[in-house]
Amino acid sequence: MTTTATRLGRFPFPFRDDAYRYSTNVEPARSAQRTAAGSWGERVIEIDDGYARELSLRADILERDPSRRASAPHMRAAEWDALNYCLTDLAASYPEHMTFTREGLRLRWVNDLQGLEVEATYGDDGSLPGGPLAFLATQIQEDIALLDQREGALWLDAGVVTFAADWSMGFDTGMRFLEIHGPVPRIHEEKIITRAHQFLLRMQPGDAYRRTNWTMSVDGRLDTSTETYPEWGPDRVDVVDDPALPERLHLRVEVQHLIRLPHSGAVMFLIRSYLEPLGALAEVDGWAGRIGSVLRELPDDMADYKGITRYRHRAAEWLLSRERPSRR
Amino acid sequence: MNLLTAPAPTPHVNAPRDETMVALASARSVIVVRCDGERLPVLVPAVPVTRVAVRSIGADVDLRELRAALEDARIGVRFAIVGPERTVYAARAEIRRAGGLDSEIAIRVTDRNARVVLCAHCRERTSVDGPTGSVVACSGCGLRLVTNEHFSRAHAAYLGHKLDAETDR
Amino acid sequence: MTSATLPVLRDGIDLLVTDVIERAGGIRSIGLVAPGGEELPGFTAGSHLVVGCGEKANAYSLTGEGLFPERYTISVLGQPSGRGGSMFMHRLAIGDTVRASRPRSAFVPVADARLHLLVAGGIGVTPILSHARAAATWGRHAAILYAYAPGSDAHLDDLENIARDAGFELVACEGRAMLSDALAAFLDDRPLGSHLYVCGPGGFMAHVLDQARDAGWPEERLHSEAFSATELDAGTPFTARLARSGERVTVPAGVSLLEALEGTGRAIPNMCRQGVCGECVLPVRSGRPLHRDSFLSDDERASSIMPCVSRCADAELELDL
C-alpha cells in the first residue's frame, strides 16, 4: 500500500528542536502536520504496508501471552463504544477498502484488506468472535487502552497492548494513569503528568487529541514489552559496535490519540508505533542532524529511562557525521 | 462526579507509603483486619466491629476470613488494616475488588521489609526481603529478578524483571 | 448580547422540534431531531444540552439512554417567575428550531458500581431516567426513588416500565412528609460498592446527601448533578492593549483572547488551546487576568496569562506584544 518513500513521507517526526524534554504536548487530532519529508496526522487511525504483518504478529503474541489483553466486566459498554468509534473512523478514512453500516443495533463491517465481512449486534458480546475489544484489535495496527474515569482518576481496565515500549500491560492493568507513569523521571516534579491528567479528566465526549512520544528499537522490533526483555535486551549491547548500526537501530515514534468515547464516557488511548531505521531517516533533509543533536544532548536520566544509554552516543556520532561533514 | 470541575490534584503515588489512619468516626460498622498476627491496637468507634485475620504464607496470602466478612459488608462499613506491608496491601486489594473505596480503608503498615515481586516473564509471585533493587530467584521460572520501584496495588506486588537482561545471555 | 456568543452554542448544533408532550406538574417534554435527519451524536447517560432560549441559555438533561439516539428528549419545568428560559421552551411549537450544544457530560454512572441508587426529586427525574435506561440496557443493578409533589408525577410511568422490565426496585414518594422515612429505608442495608445519584431542586439534593452522609455513605459514593456555571457564561468583553504597537484588540464575550489576537493576523504559538500545555503563554504588563488555566504557577500568574482560556477582570489588559 505504501512504498518506503511514502513511509518516510508519513513518518511522524517528533523533534521540533535540537534538544528534547518532556512536555504536555497535546494538540487537537486530525490536523495535518507538515514535515521535511511530507505530512501526517489528518487521520486518527493509520493503515500502512505493515498492516497484515503487524496484525499477524499481534495474533502470535496474544496466543503466547494472553496477559497483553485485559477486559473487565464493567468495561463492556466502553469496548463496544471503542469498536463503533474506530470502525466508523476506518470506514471514513479508507472507504475504498472498508464499509461500516448500522441498522438499529445491527452492525455490518466489511474489510477488503482481510477479505472479511462480519455482522454483529451492538452490546451482544457473543455476536462477535472474542468480543468487541478483541475483534477491534484484529482490525487496526494501533494498541488500544481503555480507561474508566471514577474516583477522580483514570483506571486502565481494558485494552490490547502487544507492542508496549518497555512496559507491561499485564502488570499495569488495573492501575491509575498517575501510577502507570510513576517510573518516568522528571514529569512529576515538573507537573507535566498532573497537567496531562487534568486535561484527560476534563475531556468532553467526542473530544479527540493526540501527542507523540519517542524511543528507539533495535531491528525494528515492535514487541519490546517487559515480558520479553530477555529476548530483546541483549540487542542493545550488540548494536553498539555493529557496522550495520544505521540499518539496525530504529527511531520509534508513538502517536497517541486520546479520545473521550461519546456513549460510555471512557477515555480511549490509541497508540500507534512507527519505526524507521536511522539510515533511512538520514536521507531526509535535516533529520540526521536533528536526531543526532537530540541524542547527544539528552540528559542521562532520560536516556536511561528510554533504554538508549548504550548506543545513543554512537548513534549520534553517525547521524551528525551524515549531516554536513564539511561544516563539522 | 462532575467532569467539568477540575478535581484537586492528587500527589503522585507509585511505591506504597505510610498512610495515616483515616478517622473511622463516620463508620456504621468496622472490619479490623490484622495481618500476620500484628498486635498494634486499633481505636474503633462505638459501632459493631468484626475482626478478621489475614496471613501471608510465602508469597501467597490466606484471605478467607476477609472474604467471608466482605460478603456481609454494607455501605457504612470502614476497614482498618494493620500489619506488614505485603499482607496489608493484599488485603486492601481484596477489599477494593469487593467494591471498597480508598476513603473507606485505613491502613497502618508496621513493617516494610518483606515484599512480593511479580515476575514479568512468568507471572509468579516471589517473596523478597529488601528494598528496590534487591535480587531474588523467581519461584516460578528460576530467573534472577531485580525488584523495581514500580508497584501495582491490584496485584499487591512490585514488578520484577530479569537481572542484567542486556548482558546475561 | 444573545446566547449565540456562548462557545458551546457556537460549536453546537441546530435542532428541530418534532414533538411536544404536556405532562403533570407543568412539565413539558420536547423531542428534538437534526433538521436534515442526520444522526445525532450519541451521549453518556446523565448528559445535558445547553439550549439557547432567546437571550438566555439553560441546561436541560437528556432523558434517553444515549446509544444511537434518533431524537433527543428533554423535559422542562415551566417557571413563570424564572429568568425566562423555561417559558421560551414552553412556547416552542413543532417545526421550530433551537440552537443547542453538543451533549455535555457531567453526571456519569460509575461503571463498576455494584448497585446504582437513583434518587429523583421533581424535575430532577430527567437525568435519573437516563441513568435508569442505561442501567437496564447494560444489565446493571439499580434501585430508584422518585419523590414528587402531589399530582406532579411526570415520567413515573416511564420509570415503572423500566423497573418492571429490568427488575429494579422502585419507590414512589408523593409529597414531602414521607420523604425522610422512605429515604432511610432506601439507603439501608445496601451492598459494599453501591453508589448514589441524586438530582432535583437544591434543597432536595442537600436533604438527600445529608441523610446519606449521616447513614455512613462516604462522599465518593455520592453523586449529584451540577451544571457548571462556566458553560453558561460567555465571559465579560474586555480590551487587550498590545504595548509595543499600541493597538487595541476587542475581546468579545464568547471569544477567547487567543482567538481575538489571531483575528488580527498574528500567529501566536499554541497547541492544546485548553490551558494545559503552556505553549501560548503571554507576558502581562497591566490589568488583572482571570486565570482559567492549569499550567501557570502562582508566581507566573502574577505576570503572565494563557490566552486560550483566561480573560481579564478589568476592562483592559495590557500585553507585552
Side-chain angles (χ1 to χ4, degrees):
Chain A
M1 217 171 137
T2 44
T3 64
T4 309
T6 359
R7 282 178 67 91
L8 287 179
R10 300 206 51 78
F11 188 76
F13 192 74
F15 304 124
R16 296 191 315 169
D17 303 304
D18 287 338
Y20 179 85
R21 295 291 183 277
Y22 290 119
S23 62
T24 314
N25 57 334
V26 277
E27 59 181 357
R30 296 191 179 92
S31 62
Q33 185 77 244
R34 297 206 59 77
T35 69
S39 82
W40 64 275
E42 39 330 333
R43 292 189 277 260
V44 167
I45 299 174
E46 274 289 319
I47 297 180
D48 63 18
D49 58 358
Y51 188 64
R53 183 181 66 86
E54 288 176 23
L55 290 176
S56 172
L57 180 61
R58 171 172 291 149
D60 289 344
I61 292 167
L62 288 171
E63 171 88 32
R64 276 183 271 119
D65 184 4
S67 77
R68 315 289 186 97
R69 177 171 51 218
S71 175
H74 64 272
M75 297 300 279
R76 272 204 321 126
E79 293 179 25
W80 281 101
D81 211 353
L83 178 73
N84 187 60
Y85 187 99
C86 291
L87 296 187
T88 303
D89 187 84
L90 273 173
S93 295
Y94 300 98
E96 67 277 25
H97 296 295
M98 283 138 173
T99 332
F100 186 51
T101 50
R102 182 177 61 78
E103 226 181 275
L105 296 179
R106 287 295 291 168
L107 312 173
R108 187 163 174 274
W109 168 247
V110 177
N111 179 352
D112 275 346
L113 295 176
Q114 296 185 356
L116 187 68
E117 213 178 291
V118 163
E119 286 193 4
T121 304
Y122 195 106
D124 180 1
D125 288 22
S127 69
L128 207 44
L133 180 60
F135 180 74
L136 177 59
T138 67
Q139 302 299 295
I140 61 179
Q141 289 161 263
E142 283 74 0
D143 279 330
I144 308 147
L146 298 177
L147 293 98
D148 185 34
Q149 183 160 338
R150 60 180 195 273
E151 276 179 273
L154 291 158
W155 303 79
L156 176 58
D157 283 343
V160 177
V161 179
T162 49
F163 308 136
D166 208 0
W167 59 285
S168 166
M169 174 63 184
F171 189 75
D172 282 11
T173 299
M175 262 189 219
R176 294 173 291 194
F177 178 84
L178 289 175
E179 292 167 329
I180 291 168
H181 292 89
V184 187
R186 298 178 178 226
I187 58 176
H188 295 281
E189 299 80 25
E190 296 174 32
K191 300 197 186 66
I192 289 163
I193 202 67
T194 46
R195 282 186 200 124
H197 188 236
Q198 282 190 42
F199 180 85
L200 292 168
L201 292 172
R202 286 178 176 151
M203 281 176 70
Q204 278 295 311
D207 281 354
Y209 287 83
R210 68 166 185 235
R211 62 177 293 270
T212 58
N213 198 14
W214 71 272
T215 181
M216 304 192 85
S217 180
V218 181
D219 297 332
R221 183 183 165 115
L222 272 167
D223 175 14
T224 54
S225 59
T226 319
E227 284 84 347
T228 55
Y229 188 26
E231 289 170 39
W232 52 266
D235 293 339
R236 287 177 168 174
V237 171
D238 290 346
V239 78
V240 181
D241 293 320
D242 191 337
L245 178 147
E247 285 73 56
R248 294 190 65 191
L249 198 50
H250 289 60
L251 181 64
R252 178 188 181 121
V253 180
E254 267 179 17
V255 175
Q256 300 169 359
H257 278 93
L258 326 168
I259 294 159
R260 171 79 71 186
L261 294 170
H263 179 247
S264 61
V267 172
M268 173 171 70
F269 272 59
L270 293 172
I271 306 165
R272 181 70 151 80
S273 298
Y274 298 87
L275 291 82
E276 290 295 332
L278 297 184
L281 296 169
E283 298 294 310
V284 179
D285 231 26
W287 282 8
R290 173 126 307 163
I291 303 171
S293 298
V294 167
L295 291 179
R296 183 178 56 184
E297 193 279 342
L298 197 69
D300 288 344
D301 61 327
M302 289 177 69
D304 280 346
Y305 178 70
K306 289 184 182 294
I308 64 174
T309 301
R310 293 188 192 275
Y311 49 69
R312 56 103 155 217
H313 287 301
R314 189 64 60 88
E317 270 171 41
W318 184 83
L319 286 161
L320 292 169
S321 75
R322 288 294 310 268
E323 187 198 9
R324 262 183 258 250
S326 56
R327 277 176 46 170
R328 260 195 322 135
Chain B
M1 170 188 52
N2 184 337
L3 291 176
L4 293 169
T5 302
T10 47
H12 156 58
V13 173
N14 182 37
R17 47 157 205 238
D18 226 354
E19 287 151 45
T20 51
M21 274 285 176
V22 172
L24 304 175
S26 53
R28 284 310 185 85
S29 64
V30 174
I31 297 177
V32 177
V33 184
R34 290 194 171 282
C35 298
D36 302 332
E38 174 58 51
R39 299 163 76 87
L40 184 84
V42 176
L43 280 172
V44 292
V47 295
V49 179
T50 308
R51 292 181 167 81
V52 300
V54 168
R55 221 163 289 275
S56 276
I57 306 146
D60 296 317
V61 190
D62 182 357
L63 295 160
R64 282 173 297 179
E65 278 185 39
L66 176 56
R67 281 193 186 126
L70 283 168
E71 270 171 38
D72 298 328
R74 294 289 176 266
I75 295 292
V77 71
R78 303 289 186 273
F79 300 86
I81 319 175
V82 291
E85 174 189 296
R86 62 175 179 170
T87 317
V88 164
Y89 287 114
R92 175 176 64 182
E94 189 65 24
I95 294 166
R96 284 203 56 99
R97 268 191 292 276
L101 296 178
D102 284 356
S103 59
E104 293 164 331
I105 305 170
I107 282 181
R108 173 62 58 83
V109 172
T110 54
D111 167 17
R112 292 199 179 279
N113 290 330
R115 295 184 168 196
V116 172
V117 65
L118 189 76
C119 176
H121 315 299
C122 79
R123 296 241 150 317
E124 279 300 322
R125 303 166 69 87
T126 308
S127 281
V128 54
D129 254 311
T132 297
S134 301
V135 177
V136 66
C138 176
S139 63
C141 64
L143 282 176
R144 284 162 62 74
L145 302 175
V146 61
T147 318
N148 283 246
E149 187 68 6
H150 199 36
F151 178 79
S152 159
R153 295 184 346 142
H155 292 292
Y158 292 81
L159 181 64
H161 69 265
K162 180 185 173 187
L163 175 70
D164 295 332
E166 296 179 13
T167 49
D168 174 23
R169 288 142 203 275
Chain C
M1 184 188 54
T2 72
S3 62
T5 54
L6 265 188
V8 291
L9 292 184
R10 198 186 58 198
D11 301 330
I13 46 186
D14 290 319
L15 295 172
L16 182 73
V17 178
T18 189
D19 56 273
V20 165
I21 302 173
E22 310 294 347
R23 298 184 188 271
I27 290 172
R28 166 189 251 227
S29 295
I30 301 169
L32 302 160
V33 296
E38 312 89 76
E39 261 181 44
L40 290 169
F43 59 90
T44 316
S47 289
H48 61 273
L49 299 179
V50 175
V51 182
C53 316
E55 289 201 354
K56 310 290 174 193
N58 279 351
Y60 296 108
S61 296
L62 290 157
T63 58
E65 189 273 340
L67 183 61
F68 307 136
E70 285 172 1
R71 58 200 249 285
Y72 289 153
T73 47
I74 59 177
S75 290
V76 182
L77 173 65
Q79 293 175 291
S81 56
R83 294 177 316 149
S86 67
M87 297 324 290
F88 175 97
M89 300 301 288
H90 275 251
R91 282 192 295 270
L92 287 173
I94 293 173
D96 284 347
T97 309
V98 291
R99 184 77 182 170
S101 69
R102 293 167 189 284
R104 313 273 300 171
S105 176
F107 189 44
V108 205
V110 175
D112 71 342
R114 294 299 188 282
L115 175 66
H116 303 264
L117 292 193
L118 308 174
V119 179
I123 191 59
V125 72
T126 47
I128 294 300
L129 190 45
S130 173
H131 272 241
R133 288 178 162 139
T137 299
W138 293 100
R140 299 173 188 148
H141 300 290
I144 308 161
L145 187 152
Y146 181 21
Y148 49 87
S152 292
D153 60 349
H155 291 299
L156 179 59
D157 50 349
D158 291 321
L159 289 175
E160 282 168 346
N161 290 337
I162 295 163
R164 184 187 50 242
D165 292 343
F168 297 159
E169 198 184 309
L170 170 61
V171 176
C173 187
E174 187 169 36
R176 202 165 286 195
M178 298 306 299
L179 178 60
S180 291
D181 286 349
L183 194 51
F186 191 71
L187 294 171
D188 187 46
D189 198 30
R190 295 302 187 182
L192 186 63
S194 299
H195 282 258
L196 181 140
Y197 311 80
V198 59
C199 186
F204 173 83
M205 289 201 289
H207 177 155
V208 169
L209 295 173
D210 284 342
Q211 198 167 330
R213 285 180 195 112
D214 288 344
W217 284 70
E219 217 54 46
E220 292 79 3
R221 296 196 182 280
L222 302 173
H223 313 279
S224 55
E225 171 75 281
F227 297 125
S228 160
T230 54
E231 65 180 7
L232 299 175
D233 174 17
T236 320
F238 65 98
T239 304
R241 184 169 181 278
L242 310 183
R244 294 190 210 163
S245 61
E247 191 183 339
R248 282 188 162 79
V249 180
T250 310
V251 186
V255 174
S256 74
L257 173 57
L258 177 62
E259 287 166 332
L261 292 172
E262 288 174 330
T264 68
R266 286 176 170 75
I268 314 277
N270 69 89
M271 188 186 288
C272 76
R273 302 180 80 91
Q274 290 235 5
V276 285
C277 74
E279 281 288 296
C280 69
V281 63
L282 294 174
V284 171
R285 284 243 203 128
S286 69
R288 290 169 303 157
L290 268 176
H291 294 288
R292 297 273 178 269
D293 69 289
S294 34
F295 182 84
L296 298 170
S297 67
D298 287 336
D299 285 342
E300 289 167 327
R301 282 182 167 194
S303 56
S304 305
I305 190 173
M306 306 295 311
C308 57
V309 290
S310 301
R311 302 184 73 78
C312 186
D314 299 315
E316 185 166 286
L317 181 76
E318 194 184 5
L319 298 169
D320 193 7
L321 268 187

